[in-house]
Amino acid sequence: MRVYLGSDHAGYELRNHLVAWLTAAGHEPVDCGPHISPFSEEERHIRRIDMLSDYERTGMLPEIPAHHPQQD
């Protein structure tokens, strides 16, 4: 059976696991991306990981950065 798989960057690793599992089970997975790793050593990625880690630990949403548009 042909199975089309896609995800956002948060599902990158899970999608890769599913592609391997489907292939091993005799299916024909079609990987629709993304095709690059979601994490790099860029400051913005490290900052996002830190924010998510803090949220998971405390349950408190992070402050909206000053450079983001504010909603009233």
Side-chain angles (χ1 to χ4, degrees), residues 40-70:
S40 72
E41 295 297 323
E42 291 181 34
E43 179 185 336
R44 66 189 178 103
H45 287 155
I46 293 170
R47 186 173 60 244
R48 289 175 184 163
I49 296 294
D50 290 344
M51 288 170 63
L52 289 170
S53 296
D54 288 345
Y55 174 70
E56 288 178 348
R57 189 180 76 256
T58 66
M60 304 273 304
L61 292 173
E63 299 277 329
I64 297 175
H67 65 278
H68 281 257
Q70 302 292 316

Side-chain angles (χ1 to χ4, degrees), residues 11-33:
Y12 178 82
E13 291 179 12
L14 176 59
R15 191 197 68 247
N16 289 341
H17 172 78
L18 290 173
V19 166
W21 183 81
L22 287 165
T23 301
H27 299 287
E28 183 185 348
V30 178
D31 187 348
C32 298

